[in-house]
Amino acid sequence: MESDEKLRALFTAAKTIAVIGIKDRESEDAFRIPQYLQRAGFRIRPVNPKLATVLGEHCVASLTEVEGPIDIVNLFRASEHVPGHVDEILRLDPLPKVVWMQLGIHHGPSAQRLRDAGIEVIQDRCIMVDHKRIFGARAGA
């Protein structure tokens, strides 16, 4: 998923982004990036067992508690936690189209498991940076 054409298609088709590891502090990337995405028109589904609400949305403790389909799962968790989240992701029905691991987050074996299940995987990239680059500042905060 390296080409801008593919990324544009992904963003255009996506409606709902589940954010695992979202934070409620405005100074944190795990808050600012989902906030940007929300302002760009995506429905954010926060996942963090330590929070009740964030960005005006009810926060759930685990991904499997998110109601309705998820287009993109955005991970803000350390690489060593990725395998546990993959198990959760693969239990979703329907499966998400994409799993996006933020800058600094990557896990080769987990990425392969997801790809084997038909899920597109993006690792070690910032979803906000790519969205802004493709759609420009008009698209969000």
Side-chain angles (χ1 to χ4, degrees):
M1 180 69 71
E2 297 298 321
S3 80
D4 283 358
E5 182 178 303
K6 287 183 180 179
L7 288 171
R8 181 182 301 276
L10 174 148
F11 286 129
T12 301
K15 307 276 184 265
T16 303
I17 301 174
V19 182
I20 299 176
I22 195 167
K23 302 279 196 300
D24 62 355
R25 292 182 303 279
E26 291 183 23
S27 62
E28 299 267 359
D29 286 344
F31 178 88
R32 291 182 314 99
I33 293 168
Q35 180 183 50
Y36 164 86
L37 294 168
Q38 186 181 56
R39 289 178 178 170
F42 297 99
R43 170 87 190 268
I44 299 300
R45 306 306 307 259
V47 181
N48 186 325
K50 298 175 183 175
L51 302 176
T53 61
V54 65
L55 297 173
E57 296 281 348
H58 174 69
C59 201
V60 295
S62 72
L63 189 62
T64 55
E65 295 176 48
V66 173
E67 293 181 14
I70 299 165
D71 298 307
I72 300 172
V73 174
N74 187 213
L75 285 171
F76 279 94
R77 298 278 292 156
S79 297
E80 64 264 21
H81 298 296
V82 170
H85 293 299
V86 169
D87 292 338
E88 230 184 353
I89 292 164
L90 293 176
R91 285 195 300 272
L92 295 175
D93 185 20
L95 292 173
K97 294 169 186 69
V98 178
V99 171
W100 195 301
M101 300 180 212
Q102 283 298 129
L103 267 175
I105 305 169
H106 51 85
H107 194 275
S110 292
Q112 191 57 55
R113 282 184 65 206
L114 293 165
R115 287 185 187 109
D116 289 347
I119 300 170
E120 194 76 48
V121 179
I122 299 169
Q123 300 184 85
D124 195 22
R125 289 177 70 159
C126 179
I127 192 170
M128 180 178 77
V129 168
D130 280 334
H131 189 273
K132 279 185 176 183
R133 183 175 48 74
I134 290 168
F135 292 99
R138 66 174 173 78

